[in-house]
């Protein structure tokens, strides 16, 4: 296996940026004086372009904060104490089509998707001219580009479209997103695909990524780049949303096998050690390259979960056992009070990087999620023993649970336990809103009035929720249309 590292993730960020006030879907933006139409003519430049795409992915407008945080902020597991205005409209389920967070997610999601599409297209054109060594290296970059595009499309379709499946009901024909199978020029007209078409493209890209990984001997040997393990994990997540449970479980197991992970830590010290910063999380398969040198400072996730006043909700605290090792990263500021809690960043504590939450990275694809996917799939197959075994790997973080005998013994009770376990385990990883939507039913969201367990909205049919397409995009006239009736999908008292 050949190791390859390319320094400087932002060295070349080829691609297009969405215009906020122009008249096209995409508007060309040239980075570092490189012509986007001619630069991708050799393997080295393609490698730099891929690294630039990773930089766009980890930017705080996208996976580095907004596109990740939105999944927990708009749910039942976070609490906003009202002292700052960050994410307030999202938290209160009162977004407008002018919302800054939604606009930024759209902007950088399509930067990632378009950059990746350009890499894939250029790689296809270059393949026939390369020798064996060049093709070997190119396949690594192509594998990563497919994964990057899939990650962007999956995030965009989650945020801006209906959930593909809601408790067995199929919504794949609903309006989705613009799928960038090919790079777009500034003069191209575009249209939204269906949700089902978007998901088919995501699955196809992830499977193509795995094929390209099979055809390269190169390896990054770093969790800050996509790998066969992390791509398998992302594919498992996608298939779970599609309710393709058996296939989701299979890829989740592949992810665990490829990463060499068969168990999880279950002591406070070992759990705390996962969040020292950088590559400290031995349970993670893919993370962002955020550290003391490259971070988003006041715009970081760590800041959001500390000085910007987000914390675990009273409900989440009530279902997290006192001795649960996951509480090892829960700390409260000396000025915190039960009525106005001030959290000290939790999973973004960056204990090994000076304790500055701005230095903490986002661990995006992790082993615990894979065990939980396997458990949910087993529940839907009425395999109680299989579900218990997979759940136990995660649930043992609570020292009161030591064997499968401590878990529920029927599928309905197991499913209820799993829903709470996903809340406990995946807190701050951005999954909760998508979980609530896909499970459907009436839920309570937007917690109010700490320390009591109370919510702004109860009995909300969250499976219907759709966020609006940013009005700046609609006004370009490039062809993207607004989701009809999106306001009616928001909760009301």
């Amino acid at each position: 296996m050949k190791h390859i590292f390319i320094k400087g993730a932002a060295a070349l960020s080829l691609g297009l940026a969405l215009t906020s006030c122009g008249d096209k879907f995409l508007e060309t933006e040239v980075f570092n004086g490189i012509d986007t139409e001619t630069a991708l003519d050799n393997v080295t430049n393609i490698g730099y372009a891929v690294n630039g795409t990773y930089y766009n992915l980890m930017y705080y407008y996208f996976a580095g904060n907004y596109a990740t945080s939105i999944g927990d902020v708009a749910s039942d597991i976070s609490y906003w104490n009202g002292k700052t205005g960050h994410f307030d409209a999202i938290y209160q389920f009162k977004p407008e089509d002018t919302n800054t967070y939604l606009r930024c997610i759209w902007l950088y999601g399509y930067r990632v998707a378009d950059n990746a599409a350009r890499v894939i297209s250029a790689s296809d054109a270059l393949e026939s001219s390369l020798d064996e060594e060049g093709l070997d290296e190119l396949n690594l970059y192509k594998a990563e580009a497919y994964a990057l595009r899939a990650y962007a499309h999956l995030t965009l379709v989650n945020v801006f479209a209906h959930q593909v499946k809601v408790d067995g009901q199929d919504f794949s024909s609903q309006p989705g997103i613009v799928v960038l199978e090919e790079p777009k020029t500034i003069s191209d007209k575009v249209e939204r695909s269906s949700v089902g078409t978007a998901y088919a493209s995501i699955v196809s890209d992830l499977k193509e990524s795995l094929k390209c990984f099979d055809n390269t001997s190169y390896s990054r040997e770093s969790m800050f780049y996509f790998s066969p393990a992390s791509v398998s994990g992302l594919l498992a997540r996608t298939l779970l949303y599609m309710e393709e449970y058996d296939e989701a479980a299979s890829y989740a197991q592949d992810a665990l096998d490829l990463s060499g992970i068969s168990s999880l830590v279950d002591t406070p010290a070992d759990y705390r050690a996962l969040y020292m910063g950088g590559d400290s999380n031995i349970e993670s398969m893919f993370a962002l390259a955020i550290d003391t040198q490259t971070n988003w400072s006041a715009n970081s996730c760590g800041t959001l979960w500390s000085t910007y006043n987000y914390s675990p909700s009273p409900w989440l605290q009530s279902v997290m056992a006192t001795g649960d090792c996951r509480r090892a990263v829960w700390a409260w500021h000396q000025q915190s009070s039960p009525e106005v809690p001030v959290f000290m960043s939790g999973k973004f504590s960056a204990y090994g990087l000076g304790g500055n939450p701005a230095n903490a990275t986002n661990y995006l694809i992790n082993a615990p999620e894979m065990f939980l996917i396997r458990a949910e799939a087993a529940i839907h197959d009425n395999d109680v023993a299989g579900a218990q075994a997979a759940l136990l790997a995660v649930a043992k973080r609570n020292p009161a649970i030591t064997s499968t005998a401590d878990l529920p013994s029927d599928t309905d009770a197991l499913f209820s336990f799993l829903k709470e376990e996903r809340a406990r385990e995946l807190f701050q990883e951005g999954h909760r809103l998508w979980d609530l939507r896909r499970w459907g039913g009436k839920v309570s969201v937007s917690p109010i009035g700490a320390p009591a367990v109370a919510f702004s909205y109860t009995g909300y049919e969250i499976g219907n929720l759709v966020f609006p397409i940013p009005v700046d995009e609609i006004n370009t006239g490039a062809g993207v249309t607004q989701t009809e009736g999106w306001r009616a999908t928001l909760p009301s008292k």
Side-chain angles (χ1 to χ4, degrees):
M1 184 68 70
K2 303 172 185 175
H3 296 177
I4 186 165
F5 297 92
I6 294 183
K7 303 292 186 183
L12 180 61
S13 187
L14 294 177
L16 305 179
L18 268 72
T19 174
S20 61
C21 55
D23 60 358
K24 305 295 180 186
F25 170 66
L26 294 169
E27 185 173 280
T28 302
E29 181 173 293
V30 179
F31 295 85
N32 297 336
I34 301 296
D35 186 342
T36 60
E37 298 303 320
T38 61
L40 298 181
D41 58 359
N42 62 73
V43 176
T44 298
N45 277 359
I46 284 176
Y48 281 126
V50 170
N51 278 11
T53 308
Y54 276 111
Y55 184 83
N56 284 333
L57 179 82
M58 80 170 182
Y59 200 66
Y60 69 89
Y61 280 4
F62 202 57
N65 187 346
Y66 296 175
T68 301
S69 298
I70 192 173
D72 279 352
V73 166
S75 74
D76 56 354
I77 63 173
S78 66
Y79 183 79
W80 171 61
N81 73 15
K83 291 295 184 180
T84 68
H86 296 272
F87 268 107
D88 56 334
I90 299 293
Y91 179 83
Q92 297 175 92
F93 287 81
K94 296 178 179 179
E96 295 293 334
D97 54 9
T98 56
N99 184 272
T100 297
Y101 297 97
L102 294 176
R103 182 180 66 82
C104 291
I105 293 168
W106 181 273
L107 170 68
Y108 265 73
Y110 277 109
R111 280 197 178 187
V112 173
D114 186 75
N115 285 1
R118 288 179 176 276
V119 167
I120 293 165
S121 180
S123 298
D124 288 342
L126 190 61
E127 283 180 349
S128 62
S129 65
L130 296 178
D131 60 16
E132 185 176 342
E133 179 69 15
L135 188 60
D136 190 17
E137 184 177 348
L138 183 69
N139 276 322
L140 172 68
Y141 303 137
K142 196 172 178 181
E144 293 175 345
Y146 274 120
L148 285 160
R149 184 168 67 179
Y151 192 101
H153 280 157
L154 182 61
T155 302
L156 289 165
V157 77
N158 267 350
V159 175
F160 296 106
H162 201 289
Q163 197 79 25
V164 63
K165 292 283 186 70
V166 177
D167 191 24
Q169 190 173 358
D170 189 352
F171 291 92
S172 59
S173 64
Q174 291 291 306
I177 57 171
V178 179
V179 175
L180 296 185
E181 295 288 2
E182 299 290 340
K184 300 294 183 182
T185 69
I186 58 173
S187 60
D188 286 337
K189 287 287 187 179
V190 297
E191 62 181 0
R192 295 171 68 180
S193 73
S194 68
V195 171
T197 297
Y199 266 87
S201 174
I202 294 161
V203 170
S204 175
D205 275 356
L206 293 171
K207 290 184 177 181
E208 285 299 317
S209 175
L210 291 174
K211 289 179 183 177
C212 290
F213 274 120
D214 284 342
N215 290 325
T216 182
S217 63
Y218 281 89
S219 171
R220 300 275 200 173
E221 297 296 319
S222 167
M223 70 168 60
F224 303 124
Y225 297 91
F226 275 107
S227 66
S230 56
V231 171
S232 296
L234 186 58
L235 184 51
R237 180 188 300 171
T238 304
L239 292 163
L240 179 72
Y241 293 165
M242 298 172 72
E243 298 186 357
E244 298 290 344
Y245 295 113
D246 290 344
E247 197 174 6
S250 178
Y251 278 105
Q253 187 60 54
D254 285 349
L256 292 169
D257 292 343
L258 288 165
S259 59
I261 298 173
S262 58
S263 62
L264 305 176
V265 303
D266 57 11
T267 69
D270 287 341
Y271 189 81
R272 192 173 187 271
L274 298 177
Y275 298 99
M276 299 297 283
D279 61 0
S280 64
N281 192 333
I282 60 173
E283 296 176 357
S284 184
M285 303 169 190
F286 179 63
L288 302 178
I290 298 172
D291 55 24
T292 56
Q293 301 301 312
T294 303
N295 60 70
W296 311 127
S297 188
N299 296 304
S300 67
C301 282
T303 304
L304 184 72
W305 291 100
S306 55
T307 56
Y308 286 169
N309 305 122
Y310 281 87
S311 60
S313 72
W315 174 79
L316 181 61
Q317 293 183 56
S318 75
V319 298
M320 186 79 84
T322 302
D324 195 303
C325 73
R326 287 167 289 205
R327 284 185 176 268
V329 297
W330 285 15
W332 304 88
H333 193 275
Q334 60 183 1
Q335 296 179 348
S336 180
S337 69
E339 294 76 20
V340 186
V342 181
F343 198 47
M344 293 295 286
S345 69
K347 289 180 176 178
F348 298 99
S349 296
Y351 298 113
L353 297 176
N356 182 348
N359 299 337
T361 190
N362 302 54
Y363 300 106
L364 295 175
I365 302 174
N366 307 311
E369 182 191 358
M370 301 302 111
F371 284 106
L372 292 168
I373 289 172
R374 287 183 51 223
E376 190 166 350
I379 288 170
H380 282 276
D381 281 344
N382 292 311
D383 177 6
V384 171
Q388 288 177 323
L391 264 174
L392 183 63
V394 182
K396 285 195 302 183
R397 310 258 211 211
N398 177 356
I401 298 175
T402 60
S403 72
T404 56
D406 298 318
L407 297 173
S409 57
D410 67 84
T411 53
D412 287 343
L414 270 174
F415 197 21
S416 295
F417 182 92
L418 176 132
K419 289 177 178 179
E420 287 192 359
E421 193 62 22
R422 283 186 67 93
R424 287 185 284 262
E425 180 59 44
L426 304 180
F427 173 57
Q428 295 187 293
E429 295 179 22
H431 299 278
R432 186 62 174 176
L433 176 57
W434 324 126
D435 280 348
L436 292 176
R437 286 204 317 178
R438 68 187 179 83
W439 291 326
K442 295 182 178 181
V443 301
S444 299
V445 293
S446 189
I448 54 172
V453 176
F455 299 91
S456 297
Y457 307 105
T458 59
Y460 172 40
E461 293 282 359
I462 199 168
N464 296 323
L465 174 67
V466 179
F467 288 121
I469 304 293
V471 68
D472 283 351
E473 179 55 57
I474 304 300
N475 289 343
T476 66
V480 178
T481 57
Q482 188 57 271
T483 303
E484 292 185 11
W486 67 267
R487 290 183 188 277
T489 73
L490 300 174
S492 60
K493 294 184 179 179

